[in-house]
Amino acid sequence: MEYALQFAATLSVIVLVLYSILRRSSAIRDIPGPPSPSWIFGNLRQLLLSPVYGEHEFNWLSFYGSVYSLRACFGENRLMVADPLALQYILNSPKFYRAPILNNMAILLFGDSSVITARGNEHRRLRAGLNPGFTTAAVRSYHPVFKKVAEMLDNFTTTNADVCSVLSPATLDAISEAILGRPTKDLGAEFAANNIEIVKLTASQSETHILADAIGSRLPAWVWRAAIYLPTAAFAVARQEKFLAKQVGGRIVRENRAAATLGLERGNDFFSVLLDPETAEKTKTLTDQDIVAQTALILIAGQETTASFGLLELARHPDFQDKLRAEIYANSAAIVADLAYENMPLLNAFLKETLRLYPAVPLADRVALEDAIIPLGESIVSFNGERINQIAVRKGEVLALGIASYQRLASRWGKNPHEFNPSRWLDGDTYQGDAVGPYANLLSFLGGPRTCLGWRFA
Ligand code: HEM
């Protein structure tokens, strides 16, 4: 057994070395970037494991600009992209897709039939079918649920308490009621506990993860499909999530159908809207199985990712906190009447600034599905001194989309972009040109055909 393991390890190293020697030369190598401190990890330990997020990344941004080259594991070249035009191009082009590791993880967790893993026409069909639950009008109809959850939070006044332990269940409450039309306790304690484990799993990073990603991304998709049956704790949590979500989703769909048969009034929640015969008549796209297949994704996609950072900044900026509270109190009558949100400039500035500084997905890897030429908004100087305004990437090369870096470009967000300063949204300091994302020109909800469906809800 020991010999077999040694043989497998030696073979893997030989294959990786040959791969790094024989792969086609890449234009990314001509782009300046930070030196790599290790062949095994490249710059990834600096990028992903800094004790403070962005410690290296934001220095590289100011030194090399919004496009630079990096090394990933085993000498792989990677292009870091925070240039707005390049990001817009990549997010909207069919020549790029989620990098294999991210995609395989999504398939493990959500299966092939969820909107996040579906491709091409199937993706468009599912998005069109789900859209009625995420329009401005639909999200407005969820306001009573949001209000109820906010009132529950209002009772939480203890100082020195862990806000994350309160905000996460509150977010799950809002999603559960507004999406499924059921209180969280109806999902079962096992489901709620497993959901927390999934979030921990997807949020953790380590050297082992980096290496597993590097090796895993070179494995064929069938290995990933088989991997879910491995008896490890992580895969057990993923298996359980898939199983429980299907069970919960299936039960709710059946209950809604039974209620409709009995002529009972339908709820305002997302599932009820989708299962309403009138909606189905209009969209004519989603089957009951399609709706059940979205349960896991929506319950996980909607986990709390951002609000706790907003509260942290309010604690750091008590003057702003006082002004924001005064604005909310001054509008409290209008809030009850559901009219207030657009008339609250400080609240809007606060939301935008929090989403800008704390994107839930600060880095998103994309792979080139075919050779492509990426246009740059700002030209750069290559190693051989040539000024270039486009970069050729080859099929199979991976690009790191620097969402967090993009959201700290002085050219977009005005002076001191690393500082929390909601006033930048009120003083006209932020860029007003072409939008790259769905909200406030930010990419926290990504952009293009795979923009977060739930951004208005969020
Ligand atoms: C602040 C909160 C949120 C943030 C920052 C966020 C961010 C994102 C991002 C970055 C993606 C793209 C993932 C990828 O393609 O790799 C995404 C996709 C998605 N999000 Fe959100 N999300 C949030 C809240 C929500 C909520 C509340 C819902 C639903 C209730 C939701 C539903 C979805 C769905 C269905 C997709 C898949 C869209 C597709 O692939 O076509 N999100 N989200």
Side-chain angles (χ1 to χ4, degrees):
M1 180 70 178
E2 208 178 305
Y3 284 126
L5 280 176
Q6 273 176 7
F7 177 72
T10 316
L11 194 67
S12 310
V13 172
I14 293 171
V15 169
L16 286 168
V17 171
L18 282 177
Y19 167 77
S20 60
I21 293 169
L22 295 177
R23 73 181 146 216
R24 290 194 294 166
S25 75
S26 159
I28 299 177
R29 292 166 95 159
D30 297 334
I31 312 295
S36 162
S38 141
W39 179 76
I40 294 183
F41 289 101
N43 301 101
L44 295 189
R45 273 193 300 208
Q46 297 163 305
L47 186 66
L48 303 173
L49 302 181
S50 295
V52 178
Y53 185 84
E55 198 179 347
H56 295 276
E57 183 187 333
F58 301 144
N59 280 336
W60 295 334
L61 177 70
S62 58
F63 193 80
Y64 297 102
S66 57
V67 174
Y68 53 91
S69 68
L70 281 175
R71 284 291 162 99
C73 290
F74 314 121
E76 182 195 326
N77 295 297
R78 197 162 282 189
L79 191 68
M80 177 71 152
V81 184
D83 176 284
L85 184 68
L87 286 170
Q88 194 172 28
Y89 175 78
I90 296 164
L91 287 169
N92 284 283
S93 164
K95 292 182 178 175
F96 298 91
Y97 192 59
R98 209 178 288 124
I101 193 78
L102 292 175
N103 200 45
N104 286 325
M105 298 267 287
I107 294 175
L108 278 193
L109 269 178
F110 309 124
D112 289 320
S113 318
S114 87
V115 65
I116 204 158
T117 49
R119 316 240 333 224
N121 285 339
E122 180 62 359
H123 177 246
R124 281 188 280 280
R125 180 184 77 81
L126 288 174
R127 264 191 92 100
L130 292 169
N131 210 35
F134 291 114
T135 59
T136 309
V139 171
R140 269 189 190 280
S141 75
Y142 306 143
H143 278 190
V145 171
F146 300 152
K147 237 177 257 174
K148 193 165 115 189
V149 174
E151 275 158 16
M152 273 156 38
L153 281 177
D154 202 27
N155 295 329
F156 171 74
T157 49
T158 327
T159 47
N160 297 329
D162 170 10
V163 289
C164 298
S165 69
V166 180
L167 289 177
S168 295
T171 312
L172 188 59
D173 285 346
I175 299 273
S176 183
E177 295 238 11
I179 299 285
L180 304 177
R182 302 287 187 282
T184 312
K185 66 174 169 30
D186 219 51
L187 309 181
E190 204 186 350
F191 185 86
N194 204 64
N195 226 33
I196 293 172
E197 290 308 309
I198 284 286
V199 175
K200 279 193 208 153
L201 200 70
T202 47
S204 57
Q205 264 302 0
S206 65
E207 286 186 357
T208 316
H209 278 111
I210 294 176
L211 282 181
D213 284 2
I215 294 166
S217 64
R218 289 162 173 88
L219 296 176
W222 64 264
V223 176
W224 277 92
R225 276 166 215 278
I228 195 152
Y229 300 105
L230 288 174
T232 66
F235 288 127
V237 172
R239 275 197 302 274
Q240 191 68 349
E241 182 72 18
K242 235 171 151 177
F243 172 75
L244 292 173
K246 197 170 169 191
Q247 212 179 39
V248 167
R251 173 170 60 79
I252 294 171
V253 167
R254 282 193 304 279
E255 285 171 3
N256 275 6
R257 287 281 181 227
T261 317
L262 295 172
L264 302 178
E265 201 183 326
R266 74 162 176 86
N268 262 349
D269 60 277
F270 178 67
F271 267 37
S272 300
V273 172
L274 291 183
L275 290 162
D276 180 22
E278 257 184 49
T279 316
E281 184 54 34
K282 270 185 238 147
T283 59
K284 281 196 175 64
T285 51
L286 296 186
T287 64
D288 286 8
Q289 287 84 341
D290 287 333
I291 298 172
V292 174
Q294 311 312 317
T295 317
L297 167 65
I298 287 177
L299 287 171
I300 291 179
Q303 285 289 323
E304 142 60 8
T305 50
T306 314
S308 37
F309 290 107
L311 292 186
L312 174 69
E313 291 297 354
L314 287 183
R316 285 176 175 159
H317 297 86
D319 289 351
F320 178 77
Q321 183 181 155
D322 288 344
K323 286 185 200 151
L324 178 59
R325 186 179 289 107
E327 182 184 86
I328 292 171
Y329 284 170
N331 282 281
S332 52
I335 291 172
V336 174
D338 243 6
L339 300 168
Y341 173 72
E342 287 81 1
N343 304 325
M344 298 168 76
L346 289 185
L347 179 63
N348 280 288
F350 168 64
L351 296 178
K352 289 173 187 169
E353 189 65 348
T354 305
L355 283 161
R356 182 183 74 82
L357 273 189
Y358 301 105
V361 180
L363 278 170
D365 287 350
R366 290 290 179 269
V367 64
L369 300 176
E370 51 187 278
D371 292 358
I373 293 184
I374 302 175
L376 302 180
E378 263 181 45
S379 60
I380 56 170
V381 178
S382 70
F383 266 131
N384 55 24
E386 196 188 340
R387 186 159 277 285
I388 50 176
N389 54 16
Q390 55 185 35
I391 299 175
V393 291
R394 292 193 187 276
K395 180 178 173 180
E397 284 184 323
V398 175
L399 317 175
L401 308 191
I403 309 295
S405 287
Y406 161 74
Q407 294 185 174
R408 288 167 187 244
L409 292 177
S411 57
R412 286 259 142 171
W413 317 105
K415 54 184 181 305
N416 303 326
H418 298 284
E419 272 174 27
F420 175 84
N421 173 21
S423 303
R424 73 178 74 246
W425 297 94
L426 306 169
D427 301 344
D429 268 3
T430 55
Y431 174 80
Q432 304 297 324
D434 285 351
V436 293
Y439 178 66
N441 234 331
L442 298 169
L443 284 177
S444 301
F445 299 112
L446 236 54
R450 289 191 175 263
T451 295
C452 171
L453 256 175
W455 68 269
R456 290 191 187 88
F457 188 112

